[in-house]
Amino acid sequence: MTDGTNPSSNPQPEPAPGNGGYGFPPVPPAPAAGYGYPPGAPAPGGGGFGPPPAVPPADGSGYGYPQQGGHPGAQPAPYQQAPAAAVPPQQQEWAQGLPNMGAPAPPVGPGPGLPGPFAPQSDQPDWEAMADRSAAEKRKKRLWMIGGGVTVLALLAGGGTFLLLGGDGKDENEAKDDKPSPTVSASPSPSGSKSKTPVDNTPTVKDDPTSIRDRSGKAPLKMGPDAGVFPIDKRFEIRTKGNENSYAESEKRVVDTAKSFTVSARVWVRSAKGRQIAVSQGNEKSSSFELGLDQVNGKPAWVFRVQTGDQGADATTVVVAGDNPKMEKTFAELTGTYDAERKLVALYVNGKKTGESAVPGVFQAPGPLQLARTRHEDKWTAAWSGAMDSVQTYDVLLSPAQIDTLKAGRVDASAKPTGSWLLY
């Protein structure tokens, strides 16, 4: 309660020039320095106190965290740099522990913006980002090292495989020259030589599928209407039905029975009953030789039969027989030979001699070679019911060792077949 008179007024003094602003209670500002806590002498370069010191932006903006644009009505104020001698030693040691070591902190002064003792760390390194980048670089380097190691191992493995597979400095053609061609081994060339040229396994004559091609000479075999060539595995065979229309024959004689000869065929028969001839040669009346199946002493047996007289009588017939445990529906290599010097005929079954017999000679019939039938008493007889392949004839007597190789479809290079059909 007053007495109606106005109390005496004490106007507040105007702020001194350069003062940072009003305060309550008014405190004389530090000389040219900003506000901080705790108060003290400015750091070298005129910066204020407070952890940590900051560098004001180049545009003169003031303090505050977070630092945004200056207040719309604020005006930048200059700042003064305090003498370096005013910095206490403990403050110098503290300043030296800051991240920006080695460089004096720029002066800090008041400026527009929100008041506060801490300035934004605009020029401080982003240590977390740098750590992330460093880790990323290390990961990238590690991945490159792993990738390089895998590549080296792959190259080493490839080189080792190359060496193991024959990478001895030879090219592909030279490597092939070091060993015989498997194609030639499996199917002899017509000349019997070790030619490395591809072997033509075409079973029939070009443009005539009814004629079996002669691989060694010029004696194709014309098939009857009930005979045919069929592929099986990687080879071909002729199949016959055991009737008068199921056969194959040459146009003229192939084997000269007046001299030593060898005839061979790999045969398969459906049933081991009766008389069935796989290969024969003769004339219109009788055959000179027969190779096949017959009944001997009431049992089925493989036979090589020759005729010594021109009439085909039983009295002038010589038979060499042989057998094996299983005859029907099983392939067997049959080979008959005639030794003109020693006057001997012999039969080989699967490369093994089963018997031989002396003969005065073999009837020289001028007729063609026959498959799956024979001639007897002016008639075709003994039709073959089954299949056969690798039929070969030679105008020489093959040795037992050479005959043994016929089981695999090969023959000694020194022996040249006079005829070969359906080789395997």
Side-chain angles (χ1 to χ4, degrees), residues 75-332:
Q75 297 295 329
Y79 57 87
Q80 298 178 358
Q81 181 173 353
V87 182
Q90 64 269 23
Q91 297 295 342
Q92 295 182 13
E93 292 177 1
W94 178 83
Q96 291 176 359
L98 296 178
N100 191 15
M101 291 183 292
V108 178
L114 298 177
F118 303 108
Q121 308 296 314
S122 58
D123 61 343
Q124 293 295 324
D126 191 341
W127 299 105
E128 183 177 356
M130 291 178 65
D132 291 341
R133 285 196 299 271
S134 178
E137 290 292 336
K138 290 181 179 179
R139 286 195 298 270
K140 185 176 181 182
K141 183 176 180 180
R142 185 163 53 250
L143 290 176
W144 273 106
M145 293 178 65
I146 293 174
V150 171
T151 303
V152 170
L153 290 177
L155 291 175
L156 291 176
T161 303
F162 174 77
L163 292 175
L164 290 176
L165 294 179
D168 53 357
K170 297 181 180 179
D171 60 21
E172 183 179 357
N173 294 330
E174 290 176 337
K176 289 181 179 179
D177 292 341
D178 290 341
K179 52 187 177 181
S181 168
T183 304
V184 175
S185 299
S187 300
S189 63
S191 63
S193 63
K194 296 181 179 179
S195 172
K196 295 185 177 70
T197 57
V199 176
D200 184 4
N201 282 323
T202 306
T204 56
V205 176
K206 184 178 181 180
D207 301 327
D208 186 4
T210 63
S211 294
I212 304 173
R213 184 171 69 93
D214 182 2
R215 294 272 298 274
S216 302
K218 298 180 180 180
L221 303 178
K222 187 72 174 181
M223 291 183 287
D226 289 344
V229 171
F230 296 86
I232 179 170
D233 297 330
K234 295 182 180 180
R235 59 182 177 81
F236 296 89
E237 63 183 22
I238 178 175
R239 298 177 187 175
T240 55
K241 297 181 179 180
N243 59 39
E244 61 182 6
N245 293 321
S246 190
Y247 63 90
E249 66 177 353
S250 63
E251 185 178 354
K252 56 185 180 181
R253 184 182 73 177
V254 176
V255 179
D256 184 359
T257 57
K259 303 176 182 179
S260 295
F261 68 87
T262 301
V263 58
S264 180
R266 199 173 75 124
V267 301
W268 185 95
V269 66
R270 291 186 178 89
S271 175
K273 296 180 180 179
R275 185 184 181 198
Q276 301 180 63
I277 301 302
V279 185
S280 69
Q281 184 178 279
N283 59 11
E284 69 283 352
K285 188 174 182 65
S286 180
S287 63
S288 295
F289 66 84
E290 298 172 347
L291 183 66
L293 171 72
D294 204 351
Q295 303 298 308
V296 178
N297 299 324
K299 295 180 179 180
W302 302 118
V303 298
F304 180 52
R305 179 185 289 111
V306 297
Q307 183 57 251
T308 63
D310 58 359
Q311 297 301 314
D314 290 342
T316 55
T317 300
V318 178
V319 179
V320 182
D323 58 10
N324 52 11
K326 182 174 177 58
M327 299 179 66
E328 61 184 26
K329 298 181 180 180
T330 301
F331 271 104

